[in-house]
Amino acid sequence: MKKNALLKKLQKNYDLLLIFALPLAWYIIFMYVPMYGLQIAFKDYTPGMSIWAGDWVGFKYLNQFFDSYYFKDLLLNTILLSLGTILIGFPIPIIFALLLNEIRNKKFQKLIQNVTYIPYFLSAVVIVSMLSIFSDPQSGIFNMIRQFFGLEAIDLLSKPEYFRSLYIFSDVWQFMGFNAVIYIAALSAIDPSLYEAADIDGATRLQKIIHISLPEIKSTILILFILRIGSTMTIGFEKVYLMQNPVNLETSEIISTFIYKYGLIKGQYSYSAAMGLFNNAINFVLLVVANTLSKKLTKHSLW
Amino acid sequence: MKVKNNNKIKLSFEDKIFNIVINILGVALMVIVLYPLIFVVSASFSDPDLVQKGEVFLLPKGITTRAYELVFENKDIWIGYKNTIIYTVLGTFINITLTILAAYPLSRKNMPFRKVFTLIIIFTMYFNGGLVPTYLLVKNLHLDNTIWAIVIPGAITTYNLLVAKTFFENSIPEEMYESAMLDGCSNFRMMINITIPLSGAIIAVLVLYYGVAHWNSYYSAMIYLRDPDLNPLQIVLRDILLVGNTEQMGSNSVGMEDKVKMAEAIKYSVIVVSSVPVLLLYPIVQKYFTKGVMIGAVKG
C-alpha cells in the first residue's frame, strides 16, 4: 500500500525530480566527491598520481600532525582567534540592536542602521588595506591615538600581540550593522502591548530591555549562537591570510592558512588533507555539543 | 500615536537621561563606522605627500585627482575590472539558477524523498571535504585556470538555498499549486509561472548575497588561476595594496620599487574605485534586504 502511494507520487511528480537533478549532481560532484576524497588523508598520495590513489598508511599523517612541534600553537591560535571573535563579535550586534530599538526618532534610527551596513560590502582586501593604512607609524590614526596617550608609534600589523585585537575589532566594525539586522527585525516583531503593560507597572526603560526585549528575542539569539559555535573552526581564511606577514605569524598562523601553505604551495596533499579532516571533525563535534546543550537547557535545537 | 504622546508628557528625569545617553551612543557608533570611510575618500583626493605626513585628518588637503588618473591609466586594473564583472554576472546567474532549481522542488510538499534530499544538503553545511580534496577535484576536471573554476565549485551556498526554500514555503500558498494542478499545469510550469514571479524579494536578496561575494572574492582566483589575464579585481588590488606584506606576492622583483611608489600614490583611490560599484548595489536592493535577512533568521 505504502509502496503504491510512493509510486503514484513518483509518477505524478517526476518532473520535480528532474528539476532537482542538476543541483543534486552539483552537490554530489562538488560536495560529496571531495568528502570521499578525504581518504587521501589516510593514503600516501603524491602529485601526479591518478585521483584518490596511493597506498593506505592509516593514521600516519594525522599522527604526524599531532606530533609536530607546531600542532599546539596552530590549534591554540585557531581557537583563541575564533573564541575571541565569538565572545566579542557575537554580543555586540545584539547590544547594538537593543540600542537602536531604544532610539525614538525613527529617521535617526534608520540613518544609523543604513550607515552601519556599509562596511559589510567591503572586501577582505580593502579591509586589510585599511588596517595597514591606519597602522602606519607615521600617518595612521591608530598611532595618532597612541601618541595622544603618550605611547610610542608602532606598526600594529607587525606586532604579534596586536594581531588578534586587530582581526576581531575590524570584524566587529565590518559586520556589526549587518549582523544586527536579524535582531532588529526580531525586536520590531515584539507585541507592543507588552511594553504598554510594563509602562503601567512603572517599569524603567532599562527594566523593559532586560525583562521584555531580551527574553522576547532569546530564541533568535540561541539559534544564531549554536550556528556560530558550529563554525568555530572555519574563521575566515581570506582576512587572516591577508593580515599575515613574516613577523606576526607567531599568533596569526591558523590551521586553515597552514593547510593552504602545506597543501597547495608545498604540494603535501595527504598531510594537509589530514589536517583539514581534523579541523572539520572538531567543528562537527562542537556543533553537536552546542546543539545538545541548547536542547537540554532551552529546548531550542537545529534538528 | 496616542501612546507616544502620553510618554512625552510623562517623560521622567530618568527617561530623559536615558534618551540622551542612547542618542550619544548612536552618534558615537556612527562616527566610528563612518570615519575610516570618509578618511579614505578624503585621502584619495589629497596630495599624497600630505597624507604621508599625517596631515590629512578628515577633509582633503591639496586637492588633486591625480591618483584617479593613475588608477585609470593602470592596465591591470582595467583587466581586473573586466574579469570581475564577467565573474560576478555569470557567477551570480549560475548561483541564482541552481539555487532556485534546488530550493523550489525541496519547498514542495509532494516532492519525492524530500526529507532525504534536504538532509543530504544540510549535512554539507557542517562537514565537507575541505581545501585539498576540492582543489584536486577541480584540477582533475581540468577546470583550473579557467573561468569555470571561479563560478562552478561555489555555485550553491547551502545557507542561501535554505533561505530561498523557506521563502517559497512560507510565501506561496499551497492552494495556488493545487488549483494549478487541477488545471493540468506541470510542476515545472508552476515554478516558471507562479513561484518565480512571486519571489522578487528573495531573488533580490540572493543577487545581493551572491553578487557581493563574487565581487569581493580573491580566494578561488588565488587557488585556481595562474594566467594573469584572468585575474579578478581583488587579486589586482591585493598586489597593488599589500605589496611586500605577504611573501607570495611579486613573482618578479623587477620594478618592485616602482610598484611600491605607485602603490603609495594610488592606495586610496584604488579602494574607492573598487568599492563603489558594489556599494551602488545596496540602495537598489535595500528594500528587500531586511526581509531577506529575516527569513534567514526564521530558518536559523
Side-chain angles (χ1 to χ4, degrees):
Chain A
M1 197 61 204
K2 212 182 166 194
K3 214 174 167 186
N4 268 339
L6 182 69
L7 241 131
K8 221 173 174 182
K9 197 175 175 183
L10 272 174
Q11 216 166 31
K12 233 176 150 183
N13 297 296
Y14 72 97
D15 56 340
L16 283 176
L17 285 173
L18 282 182
I19 297 171
F20 191 60
L22 197 59
L24 183 65
W26 181 87
Y27 267 98
I28 291 170
I29 297 172
F30 289 99
M31 286 290 164
Y32 283 89
V33 169
M35 276 187 225
Y36 176 76
L38 267 176
Q39 60 178 279
I40 63 165
F42 305 102
K43 283 180 166 177
D44 252 330
Y45 177 87
T46 44
M49 276 184 177
S50 65
I51 196 159
W52 322 141
D55 296 325
W56 290 98
V57 291
F59 287 91
K60 176 182 158 192
Y61 286 110
L62 271 173
N63 285 331
Q64 186 184 330
F65 181 47
F66 297 147
D67 294 339
S68 67
Y69 68 93
Y70 43 73
F71 172 70
K72 228 181 74 195
D73 287 340
L74 276 182
L75 188 63
L76 201 70
N77 283 346
T78 309
I79 290 176
L80 282 180
L81 187 65
S82 194
L83 277 185
T85 313
I86 295 177
L87 286 181
I88 296 169
F90 189 79
I92 286 183
I94 302 175
I95 298 168
F96 173 62
L98 289 170
L99 181 133
L100 212 56
N101 196 46
E102 292 302 320
I103 290 178
R104 291 290 172 258
N105 184 331
K106 290 289 163 230
K107 271 198 185 136
F108 185 46
Q109 192 186 41
K110 202 85 212 144
L111 178 72
I112 300 181
Q113 209 182 339
N114 284 335
V115 163
T116 50
Y117 290 158
I118 299 174
Y120 164 79
F121 293 91
L122 302 176
S123 70
V125 177
V126 166
I127 296 286
V128 176
S129 306
M130 284 168 70
L131 277 177
S132 121
I133 286 167
F134 294 130
S135 301
D136 189 285
Q138 219 180 2
S139 58
I141 179 87
F142 294 155
N143 281 307
M144 289 186 190
I145 294 170
R146 281 179 67 90
Q147 280 167 327
F148 181 81
F149 287 107
L151 296 161
E152 52 161 348
I154 48 171
D155 181 4
L156 293 165
L157 262 178
S158 66
K159 298 282 179 206
E161 61 269 36
Y162 290 110
F163 168 76
R164 284 186 198 117
S165 319
L166 282 177
Y167 180 90
I168 293 168
F169 285 102
S170 59
D171 226 50
V172 168
W173 180 80
Q174 188 177 11
F175 295 112
M176 178 184 72
F178 181 75
N179 290 341
V181 175
I182 288 173
Y183 302 114
I184 293 166
L187 283 168
S188 66
I190 298 175
D191 182 359
S193 68
L194 288 174
Y195 292 109
E196 283 159 23
D199 281 335
I200 294 166
D201 292 340
T204 64
R205 298 271 289 273
L206 207 59
Q207 280 172 328
K208 280 187 273 181
I209 295 176
I210 294 168
H211 296 290
I212 301 174
S213 306
L214 261 181
E216 286 290 309
I217 61 168
K218 199 178 79 185
S219 62
T220 311
I221 295 177
L222 274 168
I223 287 185
L224 288 174
F225 189 69
I226 304 170
L227 277 172
R228 191 63 196 78
I229 292 284
S231 54
T232 305
M233 304 295 280
T234 57
I235 23 166
F237 168 94
E238 297 207 349
K239 201 168 114 189
V240 175
Y241 188 66
L242 290 170
M243 282 176 73
Q244 283 181 351
N245 54 45
V247 277
N248 70 9
L249 283 181
E250 197 184 306
T251 55
S252 67
E253 190 78 281
I254 60 171
I255 296 179
S256 62
T257 54
F258 199 74
I259 289 173
Y260 171 73
K261 289 174 193 168
Y262 256 74
L264 299 203
I265 296 179
K266 293 189 183 163
Q268 301 211 22
Y269 293 137
S270 283
Y271 185 41
S272 36
M275 293 190 263
L277 178 64
F278 169 75
N279 201 40
N280 240 327
I282 293 192
N283 219 3
F284 193 72
V285 170
L286 281 174
L287 181 82
V288 173
V289 169
N291 196 50
T292 316
L293 271 180
S294 162
K295 213 172 179 174
K296 276 232 168 82
L297 296 174
T298 65
K299 313 249 178 323
H300 285 288
S301 157
L302 288 178
W303 54 76
Chain B
M1 224 47 229
K2 213 172 143 195
V3 176
K4 209 175 170 185
N5 283 339
N6 269 342
N7 272 353
K8 235 173 212 161
I9 297 161
K10 283 195 285 189
L11 217 55
S12 68
F13 178 69
E14 210 174 321
D15 277 354
K16 267 185 205 153
I17 299 281
F18 190 87
N19 269 339
I20 293 169
V21 172
I22 287 286
N23 282 311
I24 290 174
L25 282 175
V27 171
L29 277 173
M30 221 160 61
V31 169
I32 291 172
V33 172
L34 273 181
Y35 175 72
L37 303 171
I38 294 175
F39 174 81
V40 169
V41 175
S42 293
S44 74
F45 286 106
S46 300
D47 180 347
D49 287 337
L50 293 174
V51 179
Q52 194 52 29
K53 278 187 209 139
E55 283 180 24
V56 174
F57 188 68
L58 184 66
L59 295 172
K61 270 190 189 144
I63 293 183
T64 166
T65 52
R66 181 78 191 117
Y68 285 93
E69 285 159 30
L70 283 172
V71 165
F72 291 118
E73 280 165 17
N74 188 314
K75 199 175 90 269
D76 291 341
I77 290 176
W78 282 109
I79 294 174
Y81 236 103
K82 185 199 76 189
N83 288 331
T84 290
I85 291 172
I86 296 172
Y87 299 160
T88 303
V89 172
L90 180 70
T92 308
F93 177 76
I94 294 175
N95 290 145
I96 302 286
T97 310
L98 279 179
T99 302
I100 292 177
L101 288 182
Y104 168 72
L106 291 178
S107 76
R108 294 292 308 276
K109 285 198 179 61
N110 44 1
M111 167 78 175
F113 313 113
R114 185 181 178 208
K115 276 226 168 85
V116 181
F117 286 136
T118 309
L119 213 72
I120 287 177
I121 278 171
I122 290 183
F123 183 70
T124 62
M125 276 176 95
Y126 304 114
F127 196 84
N128 57 62
L131 173 66
V132 175
T134 311
Y135 171 78
L136 292 174
L137 173 74
V138 170
K139 244 186 129 157
N140 264 279
L141 295 172
H142 301 292
L143 297 175
D144 59 324
N145 209 22
T146 68
I147 175 174
W148 305 111
I150 306 292
V151 295
I152 301 284
I156 302 177
T157 303
T158 303
Y159 180 80
N160 292 350
L161 194 169
L162 293 178
V163 169
K165 171 177 167 281
T166 312
F167 182 92
F168 294 157
E169 281 165 1
N170 293 342
S171 64
I172 294 157
E174 191 60 30
E175 298 80 53
M176 278 185 104
Y177 292 130
E178 277 164 15
S179 66
M181 209 179 313
L182 287 179
D183 293 340
C185 186
S186 71
N187 287 311
F188 183 76
R189 274 202 38 212
M190 289 182 212
M191 175 176 84
I192 302 290
N193 294 339
I194 299 175
T195 315
I196 293 177
L198 287 175
S199 303
I202 195 65
I203 293 172
V205 172
L206 290 177
V207 168
L208 177 81
Y209 280 178
Y210 282 126
V212 171
H214 276 295
W215 189 275
N216 287 336
S217 154
Y218 80 89
Y219 185 62
S220 1
M222 177 175 80
I223 292 172
Y224 297 121
L225 301 180
R226 293 179 299 276
D227 182 354
D229 283 339
L230 291 174
N231 275 348
L233 187 58
Q234 297 300 329
I235 294 277
V236 179
L237 266 187
R238 185 195 67 171
D239 290 353
I240 293 173
L241 289 167
L242 300 166
V243 168
N245 230 2
T246 27
E247 77 267 46
Q248 77 286 347
M249 213 57 71
S251 43
N252 54 337
S253 53
V254 190
M256 195 63 160
E257 214 169 298
D258 280 348
K259 264 188 168 175
V260 173
K261 256 191 182 162
M262 179 80 173
E264 214 32 71
I266 65 173
K267 205 151 69 172
Y268 303 95
S269 53
V270 88
I271 290 179
V272 176
V273 168
S274 68
S275 304
V276 161
V278 75
L279 286 171
L280 288 179
L281 188 67
Y282 175 57
I284 304 171
V285 288
Q286 189 205 15
K287 60 176 175 172
Y288 304 117
F289 191 57
T290 315
K291 203 171 177 183
V293 179
M294 231 161 75
I295 305 158
V298 174
K299 183 68 220 167

